[in-house]
Amino acid sequence: MDEINSLKLKFEGELKKINSLNQLLNLKIKYLGRQGLINQLTKKIKQIPLDQRKIFGQKINDLKKTIFQYLEKWEKNLSLKEKKEVFIDKTLPGKKYPKGSLHPLTYIIEEIVEIFEKIGFVRLSYPEVEWEYFAFEALNMPKGHPARDDFETFFIQAKENKKYGKMLLSPHTSSGQVREMLRVKSQPPIRMINIAKCYRPNWDATHTPMFHQFEGLCIDKNINISHLKGTINYFVKEFFGKEREIRLRPFHFQFTEPSFEIDVSCGVCQGKGVINQNNKCKVCKSGWLELAGAGMVHPNVLKAGGIDPKKYSGWAFGFGPERCLMMREEVKLDDIRILYENDIRFLEKF
Ligand code: FA5
């Protein structure tokens, strides 16, 4: 029992001498730590005669409580700043914060730009808020022309321009074609890749109201369809893989003649249209996926850009990068809308 009393006196004496936070911490460990003096004393209980063990145990517990109370009192008097300094373990590994990354579409657009820059195309972006003239009239679609309905449009309530008509959200990147011809002061050659946001009131598994397009425009002397086909073939093989094929299907656009839709062989069924012998491929149903529109620039469009169609010819195409991303072998999305739902579980995969 004397040992307990002398330990208490020893503690009180040491506590009085304390004048720093670290000393307090060390004192706590010295007395209450696993190998501390209190535990060492507890182990001695076996040497105590049986009839005195209970009191011995109680006294040790009392001493433990007293030491706790003393320390608590001390701690309470510390300022918050001092507490932080003492109780932060600077040797612990730091917290890991999640890293941000670019949106998958931004990566895809960068990749597309690189592919076209390699063959001499220049990246440009023409306005999202556009005049009717550049979106339609300049593209051989005068007011009231039914082809304008194919590009359902969001109009903006703004003062009409006498020359250019109403203001709208550009429904396609083809609006940049005549702008580019005017930018180069009607002097080809032109090799443009125009990537911008487009807007149409659509919402389903393959359409979103805001989407992107990249528009290729090539104008020079003696340009023909084989250049168009060769360029698209090059892009598809670079972007999707060497085994993917393209096909040009006759179509109608008012601003190109002849016009095509461009299909790319499906990466899911390898262009067969079926999976496991008889099951139709759910992604393409036919072996081909429609990804773009294209054609030879209509002479009226060249004229609107001040270019002589007798001297120059050109082609243009318009792809949707969202659709391209959907059809990438390693991505295979079956609903385009997920790209714009801000679901972090999906975005984190990129
Ligand atoms: C056009 O927009 C034409 N301007 C393309 C063109 C350019 C033809 C140059 C000739 C010469 P279309 O409406 O088919 O065509 O759209 C082209 C591509 O844009 C589609 O194949 C698709 O990939 C993408 N697209 C169109 N609407 C949407 C939408 N609402 N959501 C996502 N992608 C879309």
Side-chain angles (χ1 to χ4, degrees):
M1 303 296 170
D2 288 348
E3 258 186 287
I4 297 175
N5 288 334
S6 58
L7 192 62
K8 188 179 171 199
L9 290 175
K10 187 172 149 67
F11 172 76
E12 283 169 351
E14 285 181 28
L15 190 68
K16 273 182 200 152
K17 286 185 209 154
I18 277 179
N19 50 26
S20 89
L21 300 169
N22 271 339
Q23 283 175 358
L24 176 74
L25 211 59
N26 287 337
L27 194 68
K28 198 173 181 179
I29 295 166
K30 182 176 173 184
Y31 282 83
L32 300 175
R34 218 195 282 170
Q35 311 290 339
L37 295 177
I38 298 281
N39 272 351
Q40 283 175 27
L41 204 58
T42 311
K43 281 177 196 158
K44 287 188 181 168
I45 202 161
K46 289 176 201 152
Q47 299 156 18
I48 305 288
L50 269 177
D51 58 333
Q52 291 170 32
R53 276 190 194 172
K54 199 175 164 191
I55 301 173
F56 183 83
Q58 263 171 6
K59 288 219 162 193
I60 288 181
N61 275 343
D62 290 347
L63 176 60
K64 219 177 186 175
K65 258 190 217 163
T66 314
I67 291 177
F68 253 123
Q69 281 163 359
Y70 274 131
L71 291 171
E72 249 179 24
K73 214 168 147 188
W74 233 97
E75 272 179 33
K76 267 187 195 157
N77 292 334
L78 295 177
S79 72
L80 198 64
K81 183 168 172 276
E82 285 168 322
K83 272 185 193 163
K84 272 191 188 157
E85 271 170 16
V86 170
F87 299 115
I88 285 175
D89 182 349
K90 291 174 185 156
T91 62
L92 281 176
K95 249 191 197 174
K96 274 194 181 164
Y97 289 98
K99 256 200 215 160
S101 64
L102 295 176
H103 190 277
L105 212 67
T106 310
Y107 284 124
I108 288 296
I109 288 175
E110 277 177 10
E111 208 182 312
I112 292 166
V113 172
E114 255 176 50
I115 292 173
F116 282 101
E117 277 178 351
K118 276 194 217 159
I119 53 169
F121 280 71
V122 176
R123 191 216 168 142
L124 296 155
S125 286
Y126 279 112
E128 285 170 41
V129 178
E130 186 50 285
W131 296 111
E132 253 184 318
Y133 173 79
F134 289 104
F136 299 121
E137 272 92 328
L139 296 176
N140 200 29
M141 289 183 274
K143 277 203 174 70
H145 196 286
R148 281 164 82 139
D149 297 346
D150 297 343
F151 306 93
E152 301 150 86
T153 309
F154 290 110
F155 284 92
I156 290 178
Q157 281 187 341
K159 208 174 159 219
E160 239 181 278
N161 182 292
K162 271 192 195 133
K163 192 170 167 197
Y164 297 131
K166 288 186 188 152
M167 208 182 250
L168 45 77
L169 293 179
S170 189
H172 57 173
T173 43
S174 299
S175 318
Q177 285 189 19
V178 169
R179 281 192 179 271
E180 176 63 359
M181 294 177 208
L182 298 177
R183 185 186 73 87
V184 298
K185 302 201 167 50
S186 313
Q187 296 296 313
I190 291 175
R191 275 169 185 71
M192 161 190 95
I193 193 86
N194 168 25
I195 308 190
K197 292 190 182 92
C198 305
Y199 302 84
R200 296 182 200 173
N202 305 136
W203 180 251
D204 60 36
T206 52
H207 295 86
T208 45
M210 188 286 293
F211 59 100
H212 294 73
Q213 281 189 343
F214 58 99
E215 181 100 1
L217 178 69
C218 173
I219 301 177
D220 208 339
K221 286 186 176 145
N222 303 318
I223 292 291
N224 60 46
I225 295 178
S226 63
H227 301 127
L228 168 66
K229 198 172 174 196
T231 308
I232 293 173
N233 203 31
Y234 156 78
F235 165 70
V236 166
K237 294 208 184 281
E238 286 282 309
F239 186 82
F240 291 104
K242 297 254 175 294
E243 67 295 344
R244 306 289 279 271
E245 300 292 337
I246 60 157
R247 95 179 163 185
L248 270 55
R249 204 165 18 82
F251 199 72
H252 174 77
F253 290 106
Q254 196 64 19
F255 37 95
T256 45
E257 182 58 38
S259 304
F260 311 97
E261 274 197 327
I262 297 163
D263 295 339
V264 177
S265 63
C266 175
V268 178
C269 62
Q270 273 77 44
K272 292 188 194 103
V274 284
I275 294 179
N276 302 334
Q277 289 170 352
N278 288 326
N279 297 328
K280 261 195 177 177
C281 173
K282 276 188 193 151
V283 177
C284 67
K285 299 186 183 81
S286 64
W288 296 96
L289 300 155
E290 181 241 302
L291 288 189
M296 298 303 293
V297 181
H298 195 287
N300 288 351
V301 178
L302 291 173
K303 280 185 208 158
I307 294 174
D308 182 354
K310 289 198 187 98
K311 270 199 203 155
Y312 293 102
S313 54
W315 52 251
F317 61 69
F319 273 84
E322 285 87 350
R323 296 261 181 96
C324 292
L325 174 64
M326 277 176 91
M327 299 310 165
R328 275 280 272 256
E329 195 104 3
E330 69 278 16
V331 181
K332 283 182 203 157
L333 292 182
D334 56 9
D335 195 323
I336 199 169
R337 292 171 291 193
I338 184 124
L339 287 170
Y340 295 116
E341 279 169 358
N342 285 340
D343 186 336
I344 198 82
R345 290 164 301 178
F346 166 74
L347 296 172
E348 265 173 358
K349 291 183 190 156
F350 292 89

